[in-house]
Amino acid sequence: MFPLHRGRRLRVNESIRSLVRETSLSPADFMFPMFIAEGENYKSEIPSMPGIFRRSVDLTVEEVKELFALGIRAVNIYVKVSESLKDNTGKEAWNPDGLMQRAIKEIKKACPEMIVMPDVALDPYSIFGHDGIIAKGTVANDETNDALVKMAVSHAEAGADFVAPSDMMDGRVLRLRQGLDAAGYENVGIMSYSAKYASAFYGPFRDALDSAPVDNAAIPQDKKTYQMDYANRLEAIKEALWDVEEGADMVMVKPGIAYLDIVREVKNAVNVPVTVFHVSGEYAMIKAAAERGWLDHDKIMMEQLMCIKRAGASLISTYFAKEAAILLTK
C-alpha cells in the first residue's frame, strides 16, 4: 500500500530491471523456418518476406551452420516442389530421393546436433494447393492420413529428429505415432500443429512455396474445413489435448502475436512443451512498417518475441530467429 510500496523502486535502472525480469530470451528459444529449392548455389529472396530466401540444399547447409554458431538449435524446413512433380496423391512427398529427404540428410551430415523438423503436409505437393488429397470435392481426412504416415516415415529414414504435421487432419498424430513406431523410429518426435487457425496471416508463406489453394470451383477455395475458426478458443484446448493423448511430444499454436490468449490457454492445459509460430504475415508487417520508418524494427521484433515467450511458449518458430539471435549475442 502506497507509500510503503512503490513499484517504481524495481524500475529505477536497467540493472535492477534485469534482476527482477520475469521472462528472458535466448537463441535456444528459437526455431528458424527455412525454404528449400532445387538447384545448386541458388538463392532467391521472397518479395513479400524481405531477408528471407529460398535456397538450394548446399546454401541451406551453410546457413544452418551459421544458425548453429549463433546458438539456434532447431530448423523447421519446407520445400518448393516443381510443378511437374505435383499431383493429387502427394507421392513425391515420400520419394526417398526427393528434395526434402535430400535436404534432411545433408543438414544432418553437416550439422548433426541441429534439430531438424520437416513439415508434414501435402500442400507443397498438391496440384490443388490443399494440405490433403481431394476426393468428392473435399479434403479426404483418412486417405490423407495414410499419405502423411508415408511422408513422415520417409523423413525419419532421412534423419529427421521430429516430424511437424501442419495439415490439421483429425487423428493424424495417432496414425503418425503408430507408423513411426512400426517402422522402428520410436525416438523420432512429433511436434503437432495442434491449434492452427485459418488465418489471413499466411499469405507470404504461400507465396514462398506457391502453395495456395487453386481457383477451381470443384474444390474448397480455402482451408476452413480443416484449419480452425479464429473465433474459437475452447476448440484450441480440445485439439491440443487430443494431440497429446495421441502421442504428440510438442504442440503448436499458429499464428503467434494475434493468438497470445490461445497460447496461454494451451500452456495451462497441456503437460508438453508449447511451440508458437510467429508467422510470415506477422514478420512482413514489421518489415514493411520499419522500411517506412513507422516502427523501430529491432525494438518491435524483440518486444513481440518476448511477449510470445511470456505468454507460455517453450519454443518460437520465427523468421526473425537469426536477427534476434545476433542481437542477443551482442
Side-chain angles (χ1 to χ4, degrees), residues 5-254:
H5 297 290
R6 293 178 181 266
R8 290 182 58 186
R9 292 184 190 127
L10 299 181
R11 305 177 199 135
V12 169
N13 54 47
E14 177 56 23
S15 293
I16 187 62
R17 291 193 296 271
S18 66
L19 285 176
V20 300
R21 189 163 290 141
E22 300 171 30
T23 308
S24 62
L25 279 173
S26 80
D29 292 320
F30 305 139
M31 176 163 61
F32 191 45
M34 305 187 76
F35 300 112
I36 304 171
E38 290 284 7
E40 188 174 348
N41 197 32
Y42 173 81
K43 179 179 177 181
S44 175
E45 188 172 38
I46 299 160
S48 55
M49 300 177 71
I52 301 298
F53 299 84
R54 301 184 197 95
R55 291 181 172 86
S56 52
V57 173
D58 55 330
L59 296 188
T60 297
V61 167
E62 294 308 310
E63 181 74 354
V64 166
K65 291 177 181 177
E66 290 185 28
L67 295 171
F68 194 83
L70 286 168
I72 294 167
R73 294 294 179 260
V75 291
N76 190 199
I77 59 176
Y78 304 83
V79 292
K80 188 177 189 308
V81 179
S82 168
E83 291 296 322
S84 65
L85 297 175
K86 295 182 180 182
D87 62 14
N88 189 36
T89 70
K91 64 181 184 295
E92 178 63 19
W94 54 89
N95 177 0
D97 298 316
L99 178 58
M100 178 68 86
Q101 289 76 6
R102 285 182 278 126
I104 295 168
K105 289 175 184 177
E106 292 303 315
I107 292 170
K108 293 301 292 185
K109 184 193 301 182
C111 194
E113 293 181 56
M114 180 65 86
I115 300 300
V116 178
M117 300 192 188
D119 179 59
V120 175
L122 296 186
D123 49 326
Y125 304 89
S126 170
I127 54 173
F128 298 115
H130 275 285
D131 290 38
I133 295 167
I134 298 293
K136 299 179 181 179
T138 190
V139 177
N141 191 92
D142 297 359
E143 189 176 351
T144 296
N145 282 344
D146 292 339
L148 297 177
V149 171
K150 296 175 187 176
M151 186 179 185
V153 170
S154 78
H155 292 173
E157 289 173 345
D161 301 282
F162 277 73
V163 294
S166 63
D167 56 285
M168 286 298 287
M169 298 298 112
D170 292 335
R172 91 278 205 206
V173 173
L174 178 60
R175 292 295 314 282
L176 291 175
R177 187 70 272 156
Q178 292 171 333
L180 289 166
D181 289 357
Y185 297 108
E186 62 275 3
N187 289 328
V188 172
I190 298 174
M191 182 190 69
S192 175
Y193 290 57
S194 299
K196 181 180 180 180
Y197 284 85
S199 171
F201 283 106
Y202 306 149
F205 175 93
R206 291 173 183 168
D207 290 344
L209 294 184
D210 191 22
S211 62
V214 300
D215 186 9
N216 185 327
I219 65 170
Q221 294 300 289
D222 55 42
K223 302 188 177 186
K224 293 181 179 179
T225 64
Y226 46 100
Q227 294 179 359
M228 287 179 47
D229 184 344
Y230 58 71
N232 293 352
R233 177 179 62 88
L234 296 178
E235 185 182 13
I237 301 170
K238 177 182 70 175
E239 291 280 354
L241 289 171
W242 280 351
D243 283 0
V244 172
E245 289 172 1
E246 291 180 15
D249 301 282
M250 303 183 194
V251 297
M252 177 185 277
V253 175
K254 180 181 180 182

